[in-house]
Amino acid sequence: MKKCPECGNPSYDGAPVCGNCGYKFPKPKVKPATQEDIFEDRPIIDKSGNEESTLQIIKDNKIVIGAILLITLIVIGIIIATGPTANTTTKIDGSNKYSDAKISFTYPSNWKEVNGTDELHRGAVFFEGSNGTVIEYYNVTSEFSSIYQINNERISAAQASNGFINTIQPIQLDGKNVSNVIIADNGGNFTRYVSLLSNGNLYVFKITGNSINATTSSEIESVLNSVHIG
């Protein structure tokens, strides 16, 4: 810091004028560089042709460089070959995550992915939840234009098998309107269909249990709330 000789106001060392009274500080004298300063520690360039050129260095080490490039290409090939598959299941914070090209959701770690059959939806996946609840998920290309039509089909199928509709209501799934239908059969079991129609694709969770509570448990709701479409 320096002080203004006129008013005594402190200013930083490089200030050209006093910020209080406008006094112009004299410019500091710059010491000219001496000849020793200019040429001190300058590298000497060998112009005799004895210095090894960059091109020559590359030629001498072309085997090593080629090996590095080959290893790099192999690694890239492995990454491409072992990239993400259509369906994946990974651990996330004590839960498992299911994902395919169109949907993802998490489910409790105590659920087991089991073998199941659905002749109409061969790409379906099955899970066994608590209390023997079976959860089936599938997505298919649908010719239906609305969930209303799909619900009518479910009602007709239930009536044809002497079942009855216990619940039919709209709910939300990933911020989208979804159909929630629960059907009871003659054996005392309940099947819940949570269906979303989006861009010509029908996404369905089919949940089967021995009571309504089994198909609407907090465990089931947590899975549905984790769904992400697209």
Side-chain angles (χ1 to χ4, degrees):
M1 297 291 289
K2 60 184 178 182
K3 290 186 178 181
C4 176
E6 292 292 331
C7 65
N9 184 64
S11 300
Y12 63 90
D13 291 337
V17 297
C18 174
N20 184 47
C21 67
Y23 173 79
K24 294 183 178 180
F25 293 108
K27 295 182 179 179
K29 295 181 180 180
V30 180
K31 181 181 178 181
T34 62
Q35 186 173 0
E36 290 76 16
D37 293 331
I38 295 174
F39 296 101
E40 183 179 6
D41 295 330
R42 290 294 180 89
I44 300 174
I45 300 175
D46 185 0
K47 296 184 179 180
S48 63
N50 296 326
E51 184 179 1
E52 190 173 18
S53 67
T54 303
L55 182 60
Q56 186 62 42
I57 293 173
I58 294 174
K59 289 181 178 179
D60 293 342
N61 294 275
K62 61 183 178 181
I63 296 177
V64 176
I65 295 172
I68 294 172
L69 289 175
L70 179 60
I71 293 171
T72 303
L73 291 174
I74 291 173
V75 171
I76 293 173
I78 292 172
I79 293 172
I80 293 173
T82 60
T85 57
N87 298 338
T88 59
T89 303
T90 55
K91 280 279 188 180
I92 295 182
D93 299 332
S95 297
N96 292 325
K97 181 176 181 179
Y98 172 86
S99 64
D100 60 26
K102 297 178 180 178
I103 194 173
S104 66
F105 57 86
T106 58
Y107 59 91
S109 57
N110 63 337
W111 280 22
K112 294 183 296 183
E113 192 167 346
V114 296
N115 293 325
T117 57
D118 186 336
E119 293 182 358
L120 296 178
H121 311 104
R122 297 188 180 278
V125 292
F126 294 80
F127 304 91
E128 183 180 327
S130 299
N131 302 321
T133 306
V134 176
I135 301 91
E136 175 186 358
Y137 162 73
Y138 60 86
N139 68 69
V140 293
T141 302
S142 176
E143 296 179 355
F144 291 106
S145 60
S146 68
I147 286 292
Y148 175 78
Q149 293 175 327
I150 296 169
N151 287 343
N152 281 341
E153 288 291 322
R154 298 214 196 285
I155 294 171
S156 298
Q159 292 173 342
S161 61
N162 295 321
F164 67 92
I165 304 298
N166 178 278
T167 303
I168 180 167
Q169 65 181 168
I171 60 173
Q172 289 277 310
L173 193 71
D174 193 24
K176 301 174 178 64
N177 292 324
V178 176
S179 170
N180 180 47
V181 176
I182 301 177
I183 300 172
D185 63 22
N186 287 330
N189 292 321
F190 292 82
T191 302
R192 179 184 182 189
Y193 294 90
V194 178
S195 309
L196 167 65
L197 186 64
S198 177
N199 297 323
N201 292 312
L202 178 62
Y203 304 85
V204 178
F205 286 88
K206 180 182 177 182
I207 306 152
T208 304
N210 56 15
S211 67
I212 291 180
N213 290 338
T215 64
T216 60
S217 66
S218 58
E219 183 179 80
I220 296 294
E221 297 305 318
S222 67
V223 173
L224 295 176
N225 288 332
S226 72
V227 169
H228 176 66
I229 305 291

